[in-house]
Amino acid sequence: MAKYYSKEISKSPRIDILKKALFANKPRIEADRAVLLTESYKATENLPISERRARAFSHILHNLPVTIRDNELVVGSATVMPRSSQTFPEFSFSWLEDEFDTISTRSADPFEISDDTKQRLREAYKYWNGKTTSDLALSFMVPEAIKAIEHNIFTVGNYFYNGVGHVSADYAKVLKIGFKGIMQQAAKELGSLCVTLADYNSRASFLKSVIISAQAAIDFAHRYASKAEELAASCSDSVRKAELQAIAANCRTVPENGAKSFYEACQSFWFVQLLIQIESNGHSVSPGRFDQYMYPYYKADLDAGKITREYAQELIDCIWIKLNDLSKVRDHASAAGFAGYSMFQNLICGGQDRDGVDATNDLSFMCITASLHTMLPQPSLSMRVWNGTPHDLIVWAAKLTRTGIGLPAYYNDEVIVPALVSRGLTMADARDYNIIGCVEPQKSGKTDGWHDAAFFNMCRPLELVFTNGYENGELVTIETGDINDMKSFDDFFKAYKKQMKYCIALMVNADNAVDMAHMQRAPLPFLSSMIEDCIGRGKSAQEGGALYNFTGPQGFGIANVADSLFTIKKLVFEQGKFTLAELKAALDANFGKAQNSDGASKITTGIVKALAAKGAQVSEEQIAEIFKAVTDSTSGVTNSKYKQILDEIDSLDKFGNDIDEVDLLAREAAYSFTRPVEKYTNPRGGTYQAGLYPVSANVPLGAQTGATPDGRYAFTPVADGVSPSAGKDVCGPTASANSVSKLDHGIASNGTLFNMKFHPSALEGDSGIESFVALIRGFFDRKGSHVQFNVVSRETLIDAQKHPENYQGLVVRVAGYSAMFTTLSKALQDDIINRTQQGGF
Amino acid sequence: MDNHDYLNSKGRIFDIQRFSVHDGPGIRTIFFLKGCFLRCRWCCNPESQSGDIEQMTIAGKTKTVGRDVTVAELVEIAERDRIYYSRSGGGVTLSGGECLYQSEFAANLLRACKEKGINTAIESTGFSDFSKIEPLLANLDLFLMDIKHTQSAKHKQFTGVPNELIKQNAHLIAKACKELIIRVPVIPTFNDTPEEIADIAAFAATLHGVKEIHLLPYHRLGYDKYIGLGREYSIGDVELLSSDKISTLKAAAERSGLIVKIGG
């Protein structure tokens, strides 16, 4: 008998009904959580922080509106309206207050907000001034780090403004012993602690917080049970009445107790997934290996004849819908960077078990089928591929890819498992990894990985080499020498590495400051109760309770840096086509291309600041003159010189075409980020590990970056992830993949991201699928770590941009996640359109 | 020829495409050899026809079409995608132009690939003296041969050459090569009636061992290149084939008993 069932399972009509209801209203902001949190905080000022957190969590769960949506089988909602957002003022709030009047009309991720909600939030927010994690984080940072952030070299904005998230809890533990079991564990631990222990008080306080939080989760489920009973009593439709009675029975039993059936397991899973995201607003709360920990419950019910595959599929599809019901409001800048309302709840199927045996089962296929049925961006579906992955599974996954939804993303066990072992995981834990958020590997239930710790723009230190560390007359980083004194490519590259090292050190300072702030102001006892060994150590994950602790900042712009270095190596030092000073002049003039008004005002501001720094008084008239001079194109002669430089650069080989000389320079460029990063440690007792992926920050952060020596115009997007620069890989997908595989993916153990875009014709028919699968396998043979695909035609995207009303459902893969194309900003839409389209020829 | 001399033999190509998935099995690298005996009016690679190096203007930029390479250089490029060939059952395909236009170079290139264990295919019109074709066959896994029309006069009108030699060679190739697939570019106003397609398929069915025929619907992707070469697009403004029409033609071809595929 086959090890798994790999045939298609039909879709219940319920799923389309639920999906339609999901999109019936516009997302809105709701005030309940913030109001309840504030009430509790005001009443607990004299308690230790973890107990304050637990009591606030409990107060919220006892008073948050209980909402059971029509036709649901799996229940539990964070908001009354679907796809809406609660707010989390304990992390930050002033940006939201500032955006109250614009948030419903902004281009990226708008939310409705009523006057009543504004009023209730304003009242609550009064309490929070000076009490947030972001306030505290700022006070920890050294001034140099703050300056580097202000100059857009990196951002730690993600955890600066929000909870951390980026975690996979031990779902299996709750499924097995329930929160009652967790309370017993904590109580036993508490009972065994000697009161004379030096850290007794903090440990006891944490364990009490776990007990309070677990009880709150149980009570929350019981409120749902009561609500379902109430609805059942008044329900005239006998079918729905029975469903509501079953829901009530479920919520009475789980997550308090261990699950006894697949349906109970589904409901229990959902409460865990939901409640983690009510305790904190950290995103990328990732279900991980759903096909593994749910399987025993599925198998037992199936073998006993209690469920059919169709029914199990319907329940899984229902969970998929629920995963899209959660949303989170972000500030304007982050919304542009993470566009698409995405929650990055990464769920992975396939791979190996802890002993290294293939782990594929029925549910691995059913997870893919659920995404085929729902065609929604959540969960961020991933698939593990190893040398023993069944062909059936990867072909089934490729069929999902072919729909153009951008799912699943493919991950290579053969790179990731040894990379994790190199970071101190046991072999068994490494084999049991899953993916967090976009592309970040971790072992669930044992890790606090801080995977999205910073976006580091690798192009900015390159600019600072040209300016000797100065910007607008001010020393921003360190002096690395006048470019006119650089006599060789080595001199230049050394200066770049020096700038990188300095900026990375500041980024570490900033990250550790934010880390300390979360430790002191936002420990998460509920989440921590599902991470080993928090209960044993008597401290939250935020305080270092997890077995594995990491901080994973990500660098991006490798392709731009590699191509830039190649320009300097070949055209400046080997061929002597122009000098560094001439190149700098061309960059400053944006290669003679007229600046748009945005760019011109940035440059004008820079010039004015530089003059001011030298002590000059600059009048309004002078500013207007400078602006005019910047906007007007420079003289014809100078322009043609810049054009000549640009032509030379454009005709030079670029990363992404399987040319060793430039590809190996890209490898070195990546090391200038990954090697310094791994030397640092964080306050939780863990180490740093670099990632190479941008989410979609390459667009907004590219808008802060001047022209670069690879021929990239000022303020345009930088290259995304480890992908070649848009449009520069012209030798087809295998060449592009080979180039990317020449980077060291092992050292970038926080994940790498390689985007490929295909025209649907490349995946037509069985032979199209087979070639596509072979491409993934081949790339992975060459030790690529991750690859994901956009399969839509360029024409489709351009038309969708012009007529968004006709493409409401169009899902594209943006970076580490899928999003609705029409909800993305124009700049990001343009970036997706411009990525090279790899067609079958 | 000496042991390694064939690796240094030179030929002229005008393009290389990696990750081709429509010209032979699996993922393939296609080498486009320059020069052709035919002048098909619909040819989508007009820059392939002349054996000389020439200039073509595309999107405002003038580029040189054609460069001379050695067998060893091309084998090195093929090697880069070996892992994708082995994962997909792919390999190298020689296309054109017409690889028989440089038959000695083509034979050397196929030999070098085969010696490296790389699967080989050619796309060819078969319009050449059989003595030029035969040396290729020993190192060839798949022959993709065009049969464009069964009537010689019409063939000559649209391609510049009659078809007797092609038909005669088709029989010889079928007997001598490992695998032969017949391909038909389906061109409106030339061979797009069910009768014409059925005739071609019937002829293909008479060839020894042939099981498959591929219908390749006309596209106008070559149009810009004609303008860029300063040449006339002599097939003119013909309609693309509708999917209904393609289905009708497929049914017509299937009456021959052969497996019919649309596209490669």
Side-chain angles (χ1 to χ4, degrees), chain A residues 466-525:
Chain A
F466 279 95
T467 59
N468 195 17
Y470 285 82
E471 250 167 26
N472 308 332
E474 176 195 13
L475 184 61
V476 176
T477 53
I478 46 165
E479 293 187 354
T480 42
D482 190 320
I483 47 164
N484 295 308
D485 299 336
M486 294 180 184
K487 297 290 175 244
S488 65
F489 172 68
D490 252 17
D491 286 352
F492 185 93
F493 200 10
K494 268 185 198 151
Y496 176 66
K497 287 181 189 166
K498 220 166 147 185
Q499 291 284 355
M500 283 293 287
K501 257 190 194 160
Y502 178 81
C503 296
I504 288 166
L506 296 179
M507 175 189 73
V508 167
N509 175 270
D511 262 337
N512 285 349
V514 179
D515 209 329
M516 289 293 292
H518 282 277
M519 182 182 287
Q520 294 187 5
R521 286 197 168 164
L524 305 172

Coordinates of all heavy atoms in Angstrom, one line a residue, chain A residues 466-525:
Chain A
F466 N 32.2 56.1 -1.4 CA 32.5 57.2 -2.4 C 32.5 58.6 -1.7 O 33.2 59.5 -2.1 CB 31.3 57.3 -3.4 CG 31.6 56.3 -4.5 CD1 31.0 55.0 -4.5 CD2 32.4 56.6 -5.6 CE1 31.2 54.1 -5.5 CE2 32.6 55.7 -6.6 CZ 32.0 54.4 -6.6
T467 N 31.8 58.7 -0.5 CA 31.8 60.0 0.2 C 32.7 60.0 1.4 O 32.6 60.9 2.2 CB 30.4 60.3 0.6 OG1 29.9 59.3 1.5 CG2 29.4 60.4 -0.6
N468 N 33.5 59.0 1.6 CA 34.4 58.8 2.7 C 33.6 58.9 4.0 O 34.1 59.5 5.0 CB 35.5 60.0 2.6 CG 36.6 59.7 3.6 OD1 36.8 58.6 4.1 ND2 37.4 60.7 3.8
G469 N 32.4 58.4 4.0 CA 31.7 58.3 5.3 C 30.8 59.5 5.6 O 30.1 59.5 6.5
Y470 N 30.9 60.5 4.7 CA 30.2 61.8 5.0 C 28.9 61.8 4.1 O 28.8 61.2 3.1 CB 31.0 63.0 4.6 CG 32.1 63.3 5.6 CD1 33.3 62.6 5.5 CD2 31.9 64.2 6.5 CE1 34.3 62.8 6.4 CE2 32.9 64.5 7.5 CZ 34.1 63.8 7.4 OH 35.1 64.1 8.3
E471 N 27.9 62.5 4.7 CA 26.7 62.8 3.9 C 26.2 64.2 4.3 O 26.1 64.5 5.5 CB 25.6 61.8 4.1 CG 25.4 60.9 2.9 CD 24.6 59.7 3.1 OE1 23.8 59.7 4.1 OE2 24.8 58.7 2.4
N472 N 26.0 65.0 3.3 CA 25.5 66.4 3.6 C 26.4 67.1 4.5 O 26.0 67.8 5.4 CB 24.1 66.4 4.1 CG 23.1 65.6 3.3 OD1 23.4 65.4 2.1 ND2 22.1 65.0 3.9
G473 N 27.7 66.9 4.4 CA 28.7 67.6 5.2 C 28.9 67.0 6.6 O 29.6 67.5 7.4
E474 N 28.2 65.9 6.9 CA 28.2 65.3 8.3 C 28.8 63.9 8.2 O 28.5 63.2 7.3 CB 26.8 65.3 8.8 CG 26.6 64.6 10.1 CD 25.1 64.2 10.4 OE1 24.3 64.2 9.5 OE2 24.8 63.9 11.6
L475 N 29.7 63.6 9.1 CA 30.3 62.3 9.2 C 29.2 61.3 9.7 O 28.8 61.4 10.8 CB 31.5 62.2 10.1 CG 32.3 60.9 10.1 CD1 32.8 60.5 8.7 CD2 33.4 60.9 11.1
V476 N 28.7 60.4 8.8 CA 27.7 59.5 9.2 C 28.2 58.2 9.7 O 27.7 57.6 10.7 CB 26.8 59.2 7.9 CG1 25.7 58.2 8.3 CG2 26.1 60.5 7.4
T477 N 29.3 57.7 9.1 CA 29.9 56.4 9.6 C 31.3 56.7 10.0 O 31.6 57.4 11.0 CB 29.7 55.3 8.6 OG1 30.3 55.8 7.3 CG2 28.3 54.9 8.4
I478 N 32.2 56.1 9.2 CA 33.7 56.4 9.5 C 34.3 56.8 8.2 O 33.9 56.4 7.1 CB 34.4 55.1 10.1 CG1 34.0 53.9 9.2 CG2 34.1 54.9 11.5 CD1 34.9 52.7 9.5
E479 N 35.5 57.4 8.3 CA 36.3 57.7 7.2 C 37.0 56.5 6.7 O 37.7 55.8 7.5 CB 37.3 58.9 7.5 CG 36.6 60.2 7.8 CD 37.6 61.3 8.0 OE1 38.8 61.0 8.0 OE2 37.1 62.5 8.1
T480 N 36.9 56.2 5.4 CA 37.7 55.1 4.8 C 38.6 55.5 3.7 O 39.1 54.7 2.9 CB 36.7 54.0 4.3 OG1 35.6 54.6 3.6 CG2 36.1 53.2 5.4
G481 N 38.8 56.8 3.7 CA 39.8 57.3 2.7 C 39.2 58.0 1.5 O 38.0 57.6 1.1
D482 N 39.9 59.0 0.9 CA 39.5 59.6 -0.3 C 39.5 58.7 -1.5 O 40.5 58.0 -1.6 CB 40.4 60.8 -0.5 CG 39.9 61.8 -1.6 OD1 39.4 61.2 -2.6 OD2 40.0 63.0 -1.4
I483 N 38.5 58.6 -2.3 CA 38.5 57.7 -3.4 C 39.7 58.0 -4.4 O 40.2 57.1 -5.1 CB 37.2 57.6 -4.2 CG1 36.7 59.0 -4.5 CG2 36.2 56.8 -3.5 CD1 35.7 59.1 -5.6
N484 N 40.1 59.2 -4.4 CA 41.2 59.6 -5.4 C 42.5 58.9 -4.9 O 43.5 58.8 -5.7 CB 41.4 61.1 -5.4 CG 40.2 61.7 -6.0 OD1 39.7 61.3 -7.1 ND2 39.6 62.7 -5.3
D485 N 42.6 58.5 -3.7 CA 43.8 57.8 -3.2 C 43.8 56.3 -3.4 O 44.7 55.6 -3.1 CB 44.1 58.2 -1.7 CG 44.2 59.7 -1.5 OD1 44.6 60.4 -2.5 OD2 43.9 60.1 -0.4
M486 N 42.7 55.8 -3.8 CA 42.6 54.4 -4.0 C 43.2 53.9 -5.2 O 42.9 54.4 -6.3 CB 41.1 53.9 -3.9 CG 40.5 54.2 -2.6 SD 38.7 53.7 -2.5 CE 38.3 54.3 -0.8
K487 N 44.2 53.0 -5.1 CA 45.1 52.7 -6.2 C 44.7 51.4 -6.9 O 45.3 51.0 -7.9 CB 46.6 52.7 -5.8 CG 47.1 54.0 -5.3 CD 47.2 55.0 -6.4 CE 47.6 56.4 -5.9 NZ 46.6 57.4 -6.2
S488 N 43.9 50.6 -6.2 CA 43.6 49.3 -6.8 C 42.2 48.9 -6.4 O 41.6 49.5 -5.5 CB 44.5 48.2 -6.2 OG 44.3 48.1 -4.8
F489 N 41.6 47.9 -7.0 CA 40.3 47.4 -6.7 C 40.3 46.9 -5.2 O 39.3 47.1 -4.5 CB 39.9 46.3 -7.6 CG 38.6 45.6 -7.2 CD1 37.4 46.3 -7.2 CD2 38.6 44.3 -6.7 CE1 36.2 45.7 -6.8 CE2 37.4 43.7 -6.2 CZ 36.3 44.4 -6.3
D490 N 41.4 46.3 -4.8 CA 41.5 45.9 -3.4 C 41.3 47.0 -2.4 O 40.7 46.8 -1.4 CB 42.9 45.2 -3.2 CG 42.8 43.7 -3.1 OD1 41.7 43.2 -3.5 OD2 43.8 43.1 -2.6
D491 N 41.9 48.1 -2.7 CA 41.8 49.3 -1.8 C 40.3 49.6 -1.7 O 39.8 49.9 -0.6 CB 42.5 50.5 -2.4 CG 44.0 50.5 -2.3 OD1 44.5 49.5 -1.6 OD2 44.7 51.3 -2.9
F492 N 39.6 49.6 -2.8 CA 38.2 50.0 -2.8 C 37.4 49.0 -2.0 O 36.6 49.3 -1.1 CB 37.6 50.2 -4.2 CG 36.2 50.7 -4.2 CD1 36.0 52.0 -4.3 CD2 35.1 49.8 -4.1 CE1 34.7 52.5 -4.3 CE2 33.8 50.3 -4.1 CZ 33.6 51.6 -4.2
F493 N 37.6 47.7 -2.3 CA 36.9 46.6 -1.7 C 37.1 46.6 -0.2 O 36.2 46.4 0.6 CB 37.2 45.3 -2.3 CG 36.2 44.2 -2.1 CD1 34.9 44.5 -1.6 CD2 36.4 42.9 -2.5 CE1 34.0 43.5 -1.4 CE2 35.5 41.9 -2.3 CZ 34.3 42.2 -1.7
K494 N 38.4 46.9 0.2 CA 38.7 46.9 1.6 C 37.9 48.0 2.3 O 37.4 47.9 3.5 CB 40.2 47.2 1.8 CG 41.0 45.9 2.0 CD 42.4 46.1 2.3 CE 43.3 44.9 1.9 NZ 44.6 45.2 1.6
A495 N 37.8 49.2 1.7 CA 37.1 50.3 2.3 C 35.6 49.9 2.4 O 35.0 50.3 3.4 CB 37.3 51.5 1.4
Y496 N 35.1 49.2 1.4 CA 33.7 48.8 1.5 C 33.5 47.9 2.7 O 32.5 48.0 3.5 CB 33.3 48.1 0.2 CG 31.8 47.6 0.3 CD1 30.8 48.4 0.4 CD2 31.6 46.2 0.3 CE1 29.5 48.0 0.5 CE2 30.3 45.7 0.4 CZ 29.2 46.6 0.5 OH 27.9 46.1 0.6
K497 N 34.4 46.9 2.8 CA 34.2 46.0 4.0 C 34.3 46.7 5.3 O 33.6 46.3 6.3 CB 35.3 44.9 3.9 CG 35.1 43.9 2.7 CD 36.2 42.8 2.7 CE 36.1 41.9 1.5 NZ 37.3 41.2 1.3
K498 N 35.1 47.7 5.3 CA 35.3 48.5 6.6 C 34.0 49.2 6.9 O 33.6 49.2 8.1 CB 36.5 49.5 6.4 CG 37.4 49.6 7.6 CD 38.6 50.3 7.2 CE 39.1 51.2 8.3 NZ 40.3 52.0 8.0
Q499 N 33.4 49.8 5.9 CA 32.1 50.5 6.1 C 31.1 49.5 6.6 O 30.3 49.8 7.5 CB 31.7 51.2 4.8 CG 32.5 52.4 4.4 CD 32.2 53.7 5.2 OE1 31.4 53.7 6.1 NE2 33.0 54.7 5.0
M500 N 31.1 48.4 5.9 CA 30.1 47.3 6.2 C 30.3 46.9 7.7 O 29.3 46.9 8.5 CB 30.3 46.1 5.4 CG 29.8 46.2 3.9 SD 28.0 46.3 3.9 CE 27.5 44.6 4.3
K501 N 31.5 46.6 8.1 CA 31.7 46.2 9.5 C 31.2 47.2 10.5 O 30.6 46.8 11.5 CB 33.2 46.0 9.7 CG 33.7 44.5 9.7 CD 35.1 44.4 10.1 CE 35.6 43.0 9.7 NZ 37.0 42.8 9.7
Y502 N 31.5 48.5 10.2 CA 31.1 49.5 11.1 C 29.6 49.6 11.2 O 29.1 49.6 12.3 CB 31.7 50.8 10.7 CG 31.3 52.0 11.6 CD1 32.0 52.2 12.8 CD2 30.3 52.8 11.2 CE1 31.6 53.3 13.6 CE2 29.9 53.9 12.0 CZ 30.6 54.1 13.2 OH 30.2 55.1 14.0
C503 N 29.0 49.6 10.1 CA 27.5 49.7 10.1 C 26.8 48.4 10.7 O 25.8 48.6 11.4 CB 27.0 49.9 8.6 SG 27.5 51.4 7.9
I504 N 27.4 47.3 10.5 CA 26.9 46.0 11.1 C 27.0 46.1 12.6 O 26.0 45.7 13.3 CB 27.6 44.8 10.5 CG1 27.2 44.6 9.1 CG2 27.3 43.6 11.4 CD1 28.1 43.6 8.3
A505 N 28.1 46.6 13.1 CA 28.2 46.8 14.6 C 27.1 47.7 15.1 O 26.6 47.4 16.2 CB 29.6 47.3 14.9
L506 N 26.8 48.7 14.4 CA 25.7 49.6 14.9 C 24.4 49.0 14.8 O 23.5 49.1 15.7 CB 25.7 50.9 14.0 CG 27.0 51.8 14.1 CD1 26.8 53.0 13.2 CD2 27.2 52.2 15.6
M507 N 24.2 48.2 13.8 CA 22.9 47.4 13.7 C 22.8 46.5 14.8 O 21.7 46.3 15.4 CB 22.9 46.7 12.3 CG 21.7 45.8 12.2 SD 21.9 44.7 10.7 CE 23.1 43.6 11.3
V508 N 23.9 45.8 15.2 CA 23.8 44.9 16.4 C 23.5 45.7 17.6 O 22.6 45.2 18.4 CB 25.2 44.2 16.5 CG1 25.3 43.5 17.9 CG2 25.4 43.2 15.4
N509 N 24.0 46.8 17.8 CA 23.7 47.6 19.0 C 22.2 48.0 19.0 O 21.5 47.8 20.0 CB 24.5 48.9 19.0 CG 24.1 49.8 20.2 OD1 23.2 50.6 20.0 ND2 24.7 49.6 21.3
A510 N 21.7 48.4 17.8 CA 20.3 48.7 17.7 C 19.4 47.5 18.0 O 18.4 47.6 18.7 CB 20.0 49.3 16.4
D511 N 19.7 46.4 17.4 CA 18.9 45.2 17.6 C 19.0 44.7 19.1 O 17.9 44.4 19.7 CB 19.5 44.0 16.8 CG 18.7 43.8 15.5 OD1 17.5 44.3 15.5 OD2 19.2 43.3 14.5
N512 N 20.1 44.8 19.7 CA 20.2 44.4 21.1 C 19.4 45.4 22.0 O 18.9 44.9 23.1 CB 21.6 44.3 21.6 CG 22.3 43.0 21.0 OD1 21.6 42.1 20.4 ND2 23.6 42.9 21.1
A513 N 19.4 46.6 21.6 CA 18.6 47.6 22.4 C 17.1 47.2 22.3 O 16.4 47.2 23.3 CB 18.8 49.0 21.8
V514 N 16.6 46.9 21.1 CA 15.2 46.5 21.0 C 15.0 45.2 21.7 O 13.9 45.0 22.4 CB 14.9 46.3 19.5 CG1 13.4 45.9 19.3 CG2 15.1 47.6 18.7
D515 N 15.9 44.3 21.7 CA 15.8 43.0 22.4 C 15.6 43.2 23.9 O 14.7 42.7 24.5 CB 17.1 42.2 22.1 CG 16.9 40.7 22.2 OD1 16.0 40.3 22.9 OD2 17.6 40.0 21.5
M516 N 16.5 44.1 24.5 CA 16.4 44.4 25.9 C 15.0 45.0 26.2 O 14.4 44.7 27.3 CB 17.4 45.5 26.2 CG 18.9 44.9 26.2 SD 19.2 43.7 27.6 CE 19.0 44.8 29.0
A517 N 14.5 45.8 25.3 CA 13.2 46.5 25.6 C 12.1 45.5 25.7 O 11.2 45.5 26.5 CB 12.9 47.5 24.5
H518 N 12.1 44.5 24.8 CA 11.1 43.4 24.8 C 11.3 42.6 26.1 O 10.3 42.1 26.7 CB 11.2 42.5 23.5 CG 10.6 43.2 22.4 ND1 9.2 43.2 22.1 CD2 11.1 43.9 21.4 CE1 8.9 43.9 21.0 NE2 10.1 44.3 20.5
M519 N 12.5 42.3 26.4 CA 12.8 41.5 27.6 C 12.2 42.2 28.9 O 11.5 41.6 29.7 CB 14.3 41.4 27.8 CG 14.8 40.6 28.9 SD 16.6 40.6 29.0 CE 17.0 39.5 27.6
Q520 N 12.3 43.5 28.9 CA 11.9 44.3 30.1 C 10.4 44.7 30.1 O 9.8 44.8 31.2 CB 12.8 45.5 30.3 CG 14.2 45.1 30.6 CD 15.1 46.3 31.0 OE1 14.6 47.4 31.1 NE2 16.4 46.1 31.1
R521 N 9.9 44.9 28.9 CA 8.5 45.5 28.9 C 7.5 44.5 28.3 O 6.3 44.8 28.5 CB 8.5 46.8 28.1 CG 9.1 47.9 29.0 CD 8.8 49.3 28.5 NE 9.2 50.3 29.5 CZ 9.3 51.6 29.2 NH1 9.0 52.0 28.0 NH2 9.6 52.4 30.2
A522 N 8.0 43.5 27.6 CA 6.9 42.7 26.9 C 7.3 41.2 26.9 O 7.3 40.6 25.9 CB 6.7 43.2 25.5
P523 N 7.5 40.6 28.1 CA 7.7 39.2 28.1 C 6.3 38.6 27.7 O 5.3 39.2 28.0 CB 8.0 38.9 29.5 CG 7.6 40.0 30.3 CD 7.7 41.2 29.4
L524 N 6.3 37.4 27.1 CA 5.1 36.8 26.6 C 4.9 35.4 27.3 O 5.3 34.4 26.7 CB 5.1 36.7 25.1 CG 5.4 38.0 24.3 CD1 5.6 37.7 22.8 CD2 4.2 39.0 24.5
P525 N 4.3 35.4 28.4 CA 4.2 34.1 29.2 C 3.3 33.0 28.4 O 3.6 31.9 28.5 CB 3.5 34.5 30.5 CG 3.0 35.9 30.3 CD 3.8 36.5 29.2

